[in-house]
Amino acid sequence: KGIPLKNIKLLAGVPLIGWVLRAAMDAGVFHSVWVSTDHDEIEKVAKQFGARVHRRSPEVSQDSSTSLEAIREFLNHHHEVDIVGNIQATSPCLHPSDLIKVADLIQKEGFDSVFSVVRRHQFRWSEVKKGENKTTEPQNLNPAKRYRRQDWPGELYENGSFYFAKRHLIEKGYLQGGKMAYYEMRAEHSVDIDIDIDWPIAEQRVLSFGYFGKEPLKEVKLLVCSIDGCLTNGRIYVTEDQKEMVSYDYRDIVGIDLLKKRGIQVRLISERDCSKTLSAMQLGCVAKVSATNKLQVLEGWQKDMGLSWKEVAYLGNEESDVECLKKAGMSGVPADACAVAQKAAGYICKSNGGCGAVREFAEHIFLLLEKVNAARKQ
């Protein structure tokens, strides 16, 4: 309730629910992945990420409704399901490796239910309510001999990331029961948006510790940007003497300069002949205009430079960019890109085309490169 339609709000360029759906799909342990919702927009995003949708009834879509009620309703419609992994959309740092290990605990080791926990090193004290004539007492420490963090194992707390349970437990009204086990998640992967409601902080956590796909990220060496609708807003102004004019955002020019300073080549592409416009902008970038087949051009550049697709980033906005977006290791679209381009992209900018989207995508690339460099140091 605190953030309207939070489950599909963009977090680091991906709808919040997209992070957990990507992990669930890539884990390869589920026969099917479903999103339970009563909202059309959430259904649309779920299907974009390959999930199937169960439309919840009004009875289990109230503010007071629980996840357990929604799961039980789902099972009433799907008698073929024996085990349910209930994954919360608000845990964007979930990784497929976590889900694979949990599935093994149930399928191979015979547990009836498994839930996620995180280890915390926090000292607890008893609560003293206003008006009570007593003092607080330590709950898990001796004040005369306080543990150092490295000398204390800490305590396990549920983090709400996921709850796996067999059907017979859920039908009895339990998500935890029978032969139980906990699965301890790494602290850096235990990001809960219900708690970390400061969105920029949550985005930094996800960029550092989130799951970005099966293949490891690599250093980006080439960014290819569609001119119309990305570098410009796609509008063409015609003067009385039939001269064309376009507008661009100076922030995007700064973004291109920053990319070049980081050693990343920037190349531009357009389906129309905009040579005069590019000449006037004086960007100093290799460009291909009148490109009838953008993918063919992109493949030529990639091969000539001897790059793997993981070293190529692409920013597009139209249906003609879709195949390029799918090929590139890092892909993005402006906020006002067409629906099929948004579906193909890994990152959706907050900015529209011609209004800072290139600069924003550049910043996204820099943040992900920090992740790459940090992994190398480890």
Side-chain angles (χ1 to χ4, degrees):
K1 283 295 180 181
I3 305 175
L5 288 180
K6 172 179 61 181
N7 287 344
I8 56 174
K9 178 179 168 66
L10 293 182
L11 179 72
V14 176
L16 177 58
I17 198 172
W19 289 101
V20 295
L21 287 176
R22 180 189 290 164
M25 292 292 185
D26 287 356
V29 296
F30 301 107
H31 288 108
S32 56
V33 176
W34 296 76
V35 170
S36 175
T37 184
D38 63 337
H39 198 282
D40 292 342
E41 284 300 310
I42 294 177
E43 175 176 359
K44 179 181 175 183
V45 172
K47 288 180 176 178
Q48 284 182 351
F49 280 85
R52 298 161 74 179
V53 174
H54 170 74
R55 293 294 296 211
R56 286 204 306 262
S57 67
E59 290 75 22
V60 298
S61 300
Q62 309 300 315
D63 288 346
S64 58
S65 298
T66 65
S67 297
L68 180 60
E69 290 172 333
I71 295 169
R72 292 180 74 175
E73 180 189 72
F74 173 85
L75 288 178
N76 287 335
H77 290 85
H78 296 275
H79 299 287
E80 76 281 5
V81 175
D82 297 317
I83 302 169
V84 172
N86 175 36
I87 302 171
Q88 305 288 4
T90 52
S91 301
C93 284
L94 184 65
H95 283 241
S97 56
D98 297 318
L99 300 174
I100 292 168
K101 292 172 184 175
V102 172
D104 284 347
L105 286 172
I106 288 188
Q107 293 177 303
K108 296 180 180 180
E109 299 189 32
F111 288 97
D112 296 310
S113 60
V114 183
F115 54 93
S116 58
V117 299
V118 64
R119 189 173 299 274
R120 301 198 186 282
H121 295 77
Q122 296 173 319
F123 294 131
R124 291 182 288 107
W125 293 78
S126 63
E127 182 179 359
V128 178
K129 297 181 180 179
K130 189 174 181 180
E132 290 183 342
N133 187 23
K134 63 179 183 179
T135 59
T136 187
E137 296 291 337
Q139 298 291 297
N140 63 349
L141 77 152
N142 177 358
K145 190 178 179 181
R146 293 174 64 93
Y147 290 111
R148 297 185 306 164
R149 181 185 177 91
Q150 59 266 40
D151 296 330
W152 182 44
E155 297 179 328
L156 298 176
Y157 290 81
E158 283 187 34
N159 68 355
S161 185
F162 55 76
Y163 299 84
F164 279 59
K166 292 183 177 177
R167 171 186 277 273
H168 70 85
L169 275 178
I170 297 170
E171 289 177 339
K172 292 177 182 178
Y174 301 100
L175 276 175
Q176 296 161 296
K179 183 181 177 183
M180 289 185 289
Y182 62 77
Y183 177 82
E184 184 178 345
M185 289 180 63
R186 292 166 55 180
E188 60 267 29
H189 290 172
S190 186
V191 177
D192 187 345
I193 301 299
D194 282 333
I195 299 171
D196 296 329
I197 58 173
D198 189 332
W199 212 258
I201 292 176
E203 287 190 323
Q204 293 294 324
R205 291 283 299 277
V206 170
L207 286 168
S208 296
F209 305 114
Y211 172 70
F212 288 86
K214 291 180 179 179
E215 296 185 44
L217 293 171
K218 284 191 176 180
E219 190 85 28
V220 173
K221 296 182 180 177
L222 170 67
L223 167 64
V224 177
C225 175
S226 181
I227 297 169
D228 305 300
C230 291
L231 183 59
T232 73
N233 61 12
R235 294 176 181 172
I236 299 174
Y237 305 89
V238 182
T239 63
E240 289 183 353
D241 56 354
Q242 297 184 338
K243 290 183 178 179
E244 292 184 359
M245 294 189 301
V246 297
S247 65
Y248 62 89
D249 193 311
Y250 182 71
R251 290 174 296 178
D252 291 332
I253 307 306
V254 173
I256 290 174
D257 287 340
L258 290 173
L259 287 161
K260 289 179 178 179
K261 289 177 181 176
R262 289 283 294 265
I264 299 172
Q265 281 202 38
V266 179
R267 296 190 176 187
L268 307 173
I269 193 167
S270 175
E271 291 176 283
R272 67 187 189 91
D273 186 358
C274 51
S275 303
K276 292 182 179 179
T277 300
L278 289 173
S279 177
M281 294 173 74
Q282 297 182 334
L283 298 175
C285 298
V286 172
K288 174 64 177 177
V289 299
S290 302
T292 55
N293 188 324
K294 291 182 178 178
L295 179 59
Q296 192 175 67
V297 174
L298 182 61
E299 287 177 334
W301 284 341
Q302 175 245 338
K303 290 176 182 177
D304 288 344
M305 296 177 68
L307 303 178
S308 69
W309 283 114
K310 280 291 178 181
E311 296 171 305
V312 177
Y314 191 92
L315 184 67
N317 71 303
E318 275 297 341
E319 192 168 343
S320 59
D321 296 306
V322 168
E323 293 306 314
C324 296
L325 291 166
K326 289 179 178 179
K327 280 278 190 180
M330 200 177 293
S331 59
V333 293
D336 55 351
C338 72
V340 290
Q342 289 192 9
K343 183 178 179 180
Y347 181 86
I348 303 173
C349 297
K350 299 182 182 72
S351 308
N352 288 341
C355 298
V358 177
R359 172 64 186 269
E360 183 182 338
F361 190 52
E363 293 291 346
H364 178 67
I365 291 172
F366 297 150
L367 286 168
L368 291 184
L369 291 184
E370 288 179 16
K371 182 182 175 79
V372 172
N373 292 330
R376 285 175 178 169
K377 291 177 181 177
Q378 291 177 356

